[in-house]
Amino acid sequence: MDELERTLDSVDPFWDEDAGPIFPAEAMRLLEGVPDVEQALLRVATDEEEPLARRFAAVEALFQGGWTSWRSGPEGAEVARVMADAIRADGIHNRWGLPDHYVSRSGNDLLSIQEGVEAALTPLLDDDKLLTIHGGETATVAHDEGYTVGDLARYLLAQRA
Amino acid sequence: MRERRREPHPEQPAAEKRVPAPVLSNRAVARSLAAQAAPAGRGLRPHAAIARLASPRRAIARTATKIETYGTFSIDNYDPVDSDKDNDTNKSCGINIDVTYTPPPHIKSNKIGFVQMMKCLKGDGTPLLFENEKARATDAASGDEGWAVDRLKNMKQGYYGMEDNGTAGGNLKLGSRTDKDTAVDATMHDRISLGRQTGKTAGCTAMTFAIDIEHGKYLGGFCWGYSVDASGKVTGNPLVAGEMGDVQRAAIKAWNAQAKNKDRTKRNAPDQQLLPEDRPLGDFNIDPNAKTYA
């Protein structure tokens, strides 16, 4: 396993407890030392042979590092699909946003991709898995409303309309 | 917005019949609980009366916990939230609470609601704050870092559960008092839920204050919350009457500073409204509970 993979695997990308960026400063410094880091991360993110956790960690690293020139390119659609799969797999959904209320960090990241977002989110519309939203009043509203992955997909798609 | 479908969480028992508790409280129990749960600097009032009152019907119906302070808080459904009950896993933990506040007889107000602030901790003991809270959290200089007014992102009012137009949202009912015999209780519902990692502790302390919104005066308050031990067991914190301390005043000032931030993207909402800053109880002409504190 190379340095890049070790760094990506050093965090649990599906447990973002404060909805903030998931890599600590030290991990970002290591990534900055990787030659042509954007392409290296993009290769991991779009490689179907890689586990979803590592692919999504690579996506998170791309946004956290500001390595985002690919968003208007052909890889955008595949990255959007990885992010949509990550919504289904996520342990805490605050980073995506709260349906009917606001879009959060990763939700905005996903929406910033130029092509393929609609195609990635549409299959989630029928997913009735409950979102796990943490917080005080925020968690209360989410629990009372019974928001699902499908509701989140609908809300994100509405922002693109 | 679609129709609400509130359901009890899995650990929450079905709705139970509420049994009125006597007005007088057990002060010995109150002092014992207050002494246990009164960390310095959090404005707790050790001599305020609090008691889980005995009832002859307790075997078949749980009584509300009464907190006598400036007015009376009745607490129902104070039940731990645990998505993987008692297991040592990554999971969601927290606590459910339903609050009813009866204003004291000598005030007059057409609008009574709540202001709530919390300090929550990650497994490493540092404050757990979401992005919209970081901009308004207390710092170490205030005496205890990490306290923040609890409000949904993008809401402009600082009052818990309030819609932007000043009406009550689904988790709030506004109260009032027109004379000593005529009052409407204010109620609120909360269900804190936060992440807890395998092998780690976690927890949250909350303070909820009733407030006379019409006149901008804080009324009584109480302290609640939960903790998770390293084995994954969730325990509700004792319910304790609490006065607003320096740290809570700092949290309100921080909310107001956030509301004035020239960078509107750093506010809770672009037109975030100010909260009244605390005035001590001495601002009231009459304190009907003064003897209770003695």
Side-chain angles (χ1 to χ4, degrees):
Chain A
M1 186 183 290
D2 64 16
E3 187 68 34
L4 179 68
E5 290 181 353
R6 268 196 298 276
T7 305
L8 294 176
D9 292 352
S10 68
V11 298
D12 178 353
F14 299 130
W15 196 257
D16 185 9
E17 62 182 349
D18 63 1
I22 63 172
F23 289 98
E26 176 59 25
M28 292 308 292
R29 275 194 290 276
L30 288 171
L31 289 174
E32 285 163 9
V34 174
D36 197 2
V37 62
E38 181 168 332
Q39 280 307 310
L41 288 169
L42 206 49
R43 268 195 298 278
V44 175
T46 57
D47 184 349
E48 292 185 0
E49 300 298 312
E50 295 280 2
L52 177 63
R54 188 178 292 159
R55 296 177 75 187
F56 181 54
V59 174
E60 284 278 62
L62 283 164
F63 282 109
Q64 188 171 338
W67 301 305
T68 54
S69 63
W70 51 270
R71 287 181 297 174
S72 56
E75 299 94 343
E78 182 60 21
V79 173
R81 203 165 64 80
V82 171
M83 295 180 84
D85 288 344
I87 290 175
R88 290 190 201 267
D90 215 347
I92 303 171
H93 291 95
N94 291 64
R95 73 175 113 194
W96 304 100
L98 184 65
D100 301 330
H101 292 84
Y102 57 84
V103 179
S104 292
R105 178 182 61 84
S106 295
N108 282 317
D109 288 344
L110 172 57
L111 294 175
S112 73
I113 298 173
Q114 205 162 44
E115 301 288 341
V117 174
E118 288 79 2
L121 286 174
T122 299
L124 271 57
L125 288 171
D126 294 328
D127 191 329
D128 60 2
K129 178 186 171 187
L130 288 173
L131 295 177
T132 300
I133 297 288
H134 284 167
E137 187 183 10
T138 308
T140 308
V141 168
H143 179 260
D144 291 350
E145 297 288 350
Y147 287 128
T148 64
V149 167
D151 292 328
L152 177 61
R154 170 186 51 77
Y155 185 63
L156 292 174
L157 284 168
Q159 312 307 308
R160 299 273 287 193
Chain B
M1 195 177 293
R2 67 187 180 187
E3 186 182 355
R4 290 182 176 275
R5 44 182 167 132
R6 180 186 295 180
E7 298 167 356
H9 64 81
E11 298 80 29
Q12 181 178 319
E16 296 171 81
K17 188 174 179 182
R18 208 173 135 191
V19 178
V23 173
L24 294 175
S25 54
N26 183 333
R27 298 186 66 187
V29 174
R31 286 182 172 140
S32 166
L33 284 172
Q36 280 176 29
R42 290 186 181 166
L44 301 180
R45 181 187 299 143
H47 297 301
I50 169 178
R52 184 179 290 275
L53 297 163
S55 162
R57 296 173 64 185
R58 196 167 184 176
I60 56 170
R62 197 169 46 176
T63 61
T65 297
K66 296 276 188 184
I67 301 173
E68 304 289 349
T69 170
Y70 200 79
T72 303
F73 289 96
S74 299
I75 310 302
D76 289 284
N77 301 316
Y78 191 56
D79 299 310
V81 172
D82 187 346
S83 66
D84 187 12
K85 189 167 170 52
D86 293 342
N87 288 323
D88 183 14
T89 55
N90 280 5
K91 58 184 179 176
S92 302
C93 299
I95 195 152
N96 186 87
I97 191 167
D98 288 295
V99 180
T100 301
Y101 176 73
T102 304
H106 295 92
I107 70 162
K108 285 186 181 178
S109 174
N110 290 314
K111 197 171 191 181
I112 295 172
F114 302 94
V115 172
Q116 177 165 294
M117 53 205 80
M118 309 194 307
K119 177 179 178 174
C120 305
L121 297 175
K122 298 184 200 175
D124 62 4
T126 60
L128 173 52
L129 293 162
F130 292 97
E131 201 59 39
N132 62 315
E133 297 170 336
K134 286 176 183 169
R136 63 171 180 266
T138 59
D139 57 19
S142 71
D144 193 6
E145 67 174 333
W147 284 83
V149 171
D150 177 24
R151 274 270 43 204
L152 195 59
K153 184 180 170 184
N154 274 5
M155 302 304 278
K156 72 178 189 182
Q157 307 284 356
Y159 305 108
Y160 182 90
M162 184 175 278
E163 302 288 356
D164 283 352
N165 63 8
T167 61
N171 290 311
L172 170 69
K173 193 185 91 179
L174 293 163
S176 64
R177 181 176 282 288
T178 50
D179 60 48
K180 69 181 177 59
D181 299 318
T182 311
V184 174
D185 290 348
T187 68
M188 58 163 277
H189 165 69
D190 198 3
R191 185 181 183 277
I192 298 175
S193 178
L194 293 164
R196 177 267 175 187
Q197 288 185 295
T198 304
K200 303 280 190 179
T201 60
C204 191
T205 302
M207 291 187 79
T208 301
F209 296 93
I211 180 167
D212 170 358
I213 296 171
E214 183 186 5
H215 302 105
K217 291 185 176 181
Y218 289 88
L219 307 171
F222 72 102
C223 187
W224 56 287
Y226 72 95
S227 61
V228 191
D229 68 20
S231 73
K233 182 171 176 52
V234 184
T235 305
N237 294 350
L239 293 161
V240 184
E243 284 181 0
M244 195 171 290
D246 291 344
V247 174
Q248 289 72 43
R249 290 190 185 94
I252 290 169
K253 285 180 189 293
W255 167 275
N256 289 343
Q258 185 185 31
K260 295 173 187 168
N261 195 317
K262 288 181 180 168
D263 181 352
R264 287 170 178 259
T265 65
K266 291 191 168 20
R267 298 181 187 174
N268 198 61
D271 51 352
Q272 183 177 344
Q273 301 293 296
L274 299 178
L275 277 172
E277 298 202 0
D278 178 41
R279 302 176 196 185
L281 287 175
D283 279 3
F284 293 90
N285 292 328
I286 300 170
D287 180 0
N289 291 310
K291 288 180 181 173
T292 306
Y293 314 144

